[in-house]
Amino acid sequence: MFIRNLNYDDYNKYILLINSYLSQEKYNNFLKNTLNDNHQILVIDDDDNNIIACGTIFIEPKMTHGGCLMGHIENILVNINYRNKGLGEILVKKLLDIAKNRGCYRTDLTCNNELENFYKKNNFNKNQISMSILFEENFPEKV
């Protein structure tokens, strides 16, 4: 298994893992215009070069705390056939290393209740509540 950054050639394999429609054009634009040192998507390949897990780190410059950096971890996804093998933990640790090495003073994530114990096992503490508003009219149309 190999951990690396998501790249242009990964479109079909990545879309399969995330189970979401995204056009090739939007995928390419996202990689070109969004991914950088402050926004990275890591993937884990199996021995056949299939993407079996992924995770995102976004590093946000803050105006509070003296203008420090804060990390956000999102979209830890592991192929159902590879769950409970430590891949999620490997990704979280790697993403936390990126945040720490970039100088983030903290890293947050939002997860559903079923994943709380997984993240506690990975040294996260319940700190606050997360709340959301979904604007369904802004969701892309399904193709």
Side-chain angles (χ1 to χ4, degrees):
M1 290 188 219
F2 182 67
I3 301 176
R4 60 179 177 79
N5 285 300
L6 184 69
N7 65 52
Y8 289 96
D9 296 332
D10 292 328
Y11 173 74
N12 290 319
K13 296 183 281 186
Y14 184 68
I15 295 304
L16 184 64
L17 176 67
I18 66 171
N19 193 28
S20 180
Y21 176 76
L22 181 68
S23 72
Q24 177 92 48
E25 179 183 8
K26 284 187 178 182
Y27 175 87
N28 289 343
N29 285 337
F30 185 88
L31 268 63
K32 178 182 177 186
N33 299 318
T34 305
L35 295 186
N36 56 44
D37 287 343
N38 286 334
H39 194 157
Q40 297 180 47
I41 298 175
L42 299 183
V43 297
I44 298 179
D45 290 335
D46 66 9
D47 294 334
D48 295 321
N49 294 319
N50 296 305
I51 296 176
I52 56 173
C54 66
T56 301
I57 181 82
F58 173 70
I59 298 173
E60 173 189 14
K62 304 292 282 184
M63 300 235 344
T64 56
H65 301 289
C68 61
L69 299 173
M70 180 177 159
H72 301 271
I73 290 178
E74 298 182 340
N75 301 327
I76 302 297
L77 302 170
V78 178
N79 178 297
I80 194 166
N81 297 320
Y82 290 87
R83 291 184 184 161
N84 298 309
K85 299 180 186 293
L87 298 179
E89 186 174 346
I90 290 168
L91 274 172
V92 168
K93 286 181 179 178
K94 182 69 174 167
L95 295 170
L96 288 171
D97 285 345
I98 291 169
K100 186 175 182 180
N101 290 335
R102 291 291 318 282
C104 293
Y105 85 102
R106 94 175 194 223
T107 298
D108 289 349
L109 60 80
T110 302
C111 67
N112 62 38
N113 292 332
E114 293 80 29
L115 294 172
E116 183 178 352
N117 287 332
F118 169 78
Y119 289 109
K120 281 183 176 179
K121 184 177 78 172
N122 285 280
N123 299 316
F124 282 85
N125 297 305
K126 195 177 216 179
N127 186 15
Q128 301 172 14
I129 62 170
S130 174
M131 301 176 76
S132 302
I133 294 176
L134 297 178
F135 299 105
E136 292 185 25
E137 65 271 18
N138 292 334
F139 276 64
E141 293 182 30
K142 297 195 182 219
V143 177

